[in-house]
Amino acid sequence: MNTLCVTGATSGFGQAIAEKFLSEGWQVIATGRRADRLAALKSQWGDAVHTAVVDMRDETAIAGFVAALPEGFKRIAVLVNNAGLALGTSPAQRAELAQWKQMIDTNITGLVTLTHALLPSLIDSKALIVNISSIAATYPYTGGNVYGGTKAFVSQFSLGLRSDLHGTGVRVTSIEPGLAETEFTLVRNGGDQAASDTLYKDAAPIVGKDIADQVWWLSQLPPHLNINRLEVMPVSQSFAGFQIHRG
């Protein structure tokens, strides 16, 4: 049976990706920080799911999770590095350093730590690695500062992996979504539901199922094809002009 490993599976893209693959008959390794949500996933899908409570900032926890994978789940066909977060909307000069460090530790350090730990088995299974980046990796915006920087790393790291893994059969894709309605914005705004609702009002944003469908499509491509980068926006979102300060 094919196995998917997805981080950040307790909400948003990660949860939708896990449920999509489970509905297609795959077995899933699901990680996240919220034990209750992982338990609910396990309760619904039973033995098709292996769950692990993992904080991506904890290198020891990541190593323990990988070492403890059950025999039947060790051969991973698709790894989705989805866990990540954005904190704060302030410009750099008013941002909190602790939030910057938390984004770096989660979005960059955690992602590379897990990928490095799994690479031997991913090479052995000629797996697909999908890294969830963002259009913020390419297009800067006020308040994006470190978040955009972390996602630029994810996109470039994906390309670097492709180069290093040349000849192994491993495929690597960076998915770079635009405006998406998940708990992401709620977290970024410190739980302000009104701010989240205002952002998405009448915008028909990307939802979790949209990205889950993209990951599923990638997994079904012939093994001789690789999609390097997949940039996805809702039709309601496009490109703005450069800002100009006068005075």
Side-chain angles (χ1 to χ4, degrees):
M1 182 180 292
N2 288 322
T3 301
L4 163 80
C5 178
V6 55
T7 63
T10 54
S11 66
F13 295 160
Q15 181 178 346
I17 292 164
E19 291 176 345
K20 171 65 177 178
F21 277 73
L22 286 163
S23 72
E24 296 289 348
W26 282 47
Q27 61 181 20
V28 169
I29 302 163
T31 79
R33 290 181 300 152
R34 288 173 281 193
D36 57 333
R37 296 195 180 187
L38 291 174
L41 191 67
K42 179 71 174 177
S43 176
Q44 180 179 357
W45 295 97
D47 291 341
V49 182
H50 172 71
T51 62
V53 177
V54 179
D55 185 331
M56 295 301 292
R57 297 172 294 171
D58 187 337
E59 183 175 346
T60 301
I62 292 173
F65 153 67
V66 172
L69 282 173
E71 193 61 39
F73 284 85
K74 286 185 176 180
R75 189 171 178 81
I76 297 169
V78 178
L79 167 65
V80 181
N81 283 311
N82 165 72
L85 78 167
L87 295 172
T89 57
S90 299
Q93 64 271 29
R94 294 200 298 272
E96 295 182 22
L97 181 58
Q99 290 186 337
W100 280 8
K101 289 182 176 181
Q102 187 175 347
M103 286 186 280
I104 292 168
D105 289 346
T106 304
N107 301 358
I108 296 178
T109 307
L111 183 150
V112 301
T113 300
L114 179 60
T115 303
H116 185 269
L118 289 176
L119 268 179
S121 60
L122 295 172
I123 292 170
D124 182 61
S125 62
K126 294 181 171 57
L128 165 67
I129 301 171
V130 179
N131 295 322
I132 304 298
S133 181
S134 167
I135 62 167
T138 305
Y139 311 108
Y141 59 90
T142 301
N145 42 69
V146 167
Y147 173 71
T150 65
K151 291 304 185 179
F153 175 91
V154 171
S155 295
Q156 189 64 26
F157 178 62
S158 300
L159 295 175
L161 277 179
R162 274 278 290 136
S163 180
D164 288 349
L165 296 173
H166 179 77
T168 66
V170 175
R171 295 176 290 161
V172 185
T173 299
S174 171
I175 297 183
E176 302 171 4
L179 183 69
E181 185 171 10
T182 66
E183 290 182 19
F184 172 92
T185 300
L186 197 60
V187 171
R188 186 168 205 174
N189 286 285
D192 186 341
Q193 186 65 56
S196 179
D197 292 343
T198 298
L199 177 64
Y200 299 125
K201 181 177 172 57
D202 300 325
I206 294 168
V207 295
K209 180 181 180 302
D210 298 324
I211 300 304
D213 287 343
Q214 298 305 310
V215 177
W216 176 253
W217 171 71
L218 290 167
S219 76
Q220 298 306 296
L221 289 173
H224 69 285
L225 296 178
N226 191 93
I227 305 300
N228 297 326
R229 305 175 82 153
L230 185 58
E231 184 180 290
V232 185
M233 290 183 183
V235 173
S236 64
Q237 184 179 39
S238 62
F239 312 98
F242 287 104
Q243 57 186 346
I244 300 173
H245 173 71
R246 304 182 190 279

